Amino acid sequence: MNPSPPRQCAAVVLTNERGEVLLVRQAYGGQFWGLPGGVVDPGETPLGAAVREAREEVGAEVALEGVVGVYLLQGGGWPDIQAYVFAGRVVAGEPTLAAPEELSALAWCPLGRWPSPLVPDALAAWEDLRAGRRGAVRTVQRHLTLPGAVTLG
């Protein structure tokens, strides 16, 4: 029997004219900070999910401009997740809190001066952007325990 593929999520790195990155804070669980994004729905592509999630979460239309990285997130007591992080830009609308049931805050932050706690895919994307890498494909070990996680062992 083959194991099922990991769940997929997609996010987008949006920057403004000052080079700041848009971060959003979850209104649930550990209230982690991260990039606009979420789960890839059945029948949806990661690209489509990143655009849809940005629209739903921050009320802006975005254009994707490349791949920052594809990360297999492992550990932390949660199942593996395949995370797709894209670079993008706002093409219509001004980012606002469009999903207050999901998000409690948004902030434009200088690259690398991000609030904590930060979700693992956003941290991995920041590391790759800081190192000048685009299109990274790698496994990322979670070094935090997500709320509701089951500790094994």
Side-chain angles (χ1 to χ4, degrees):
M1 184 164 108
N2 291 335
S4 60
R7 187 173 190 183
Q8 296 181 334
C9 69
V12 60
V13 175
L14 297 171
T15 55
N16 63 17
E17 63 282 351
R18 294 180 301 281
E20 298 167 320
V21 175
L22 182 65
L23 293 180
V24 295
R25 186 173 191 174
Q26 299 168 347
Y28 53 85
Q31 298 188 1
F32 291 96
W33 285 90
L35 301 165
V39 173
V40 177
D41 289 337
E44 187 176 40
T45 66
L47 294 105
V51 170
R52 175 185 52 76
E53 287 283 349
R55 183 183 325 107
E56 291 175 1
E57 292 186 350
V58 301
E61 292 298 325
V62 302
L64 303 181
E65 298 183 325
V67 176
V68 175
V70 178
Y71 309 105
L72 178 60
L73 307 176
Q74 297 181 321
W78 277 64
D80 293 352
I81 295 176
Q82 188 75 53
Y84 297 83
V85 179
F86 301 96
R89 62 184 167 84
V90 175
V91 294
E94 185 64 33
T96 61
L97 273 179
E101 68 284 354
E102 290 183 39
L103 304 173
S104 61
L106 65 88
W108 290 99
C109 301
L111 188 60
R113 290 191 18 218
W114 291 356
S116 183
L118 191 64
V119 294
D121 56 331
L123 181 58
W126 170 73
E127 291 168 349
D128 287 331
L129 287 169
R130 187 179 72 171
R133 291 187 294 261
R134 290 289 187 118
V137 177
R138 61 190 177 98
T139 298
V140 174
Q141 293 298 314
R142 297 180 189 111
H143 295 290
L144 52 84
T145 300
L146 302 173
V150 176
T151 304
L152 305 175

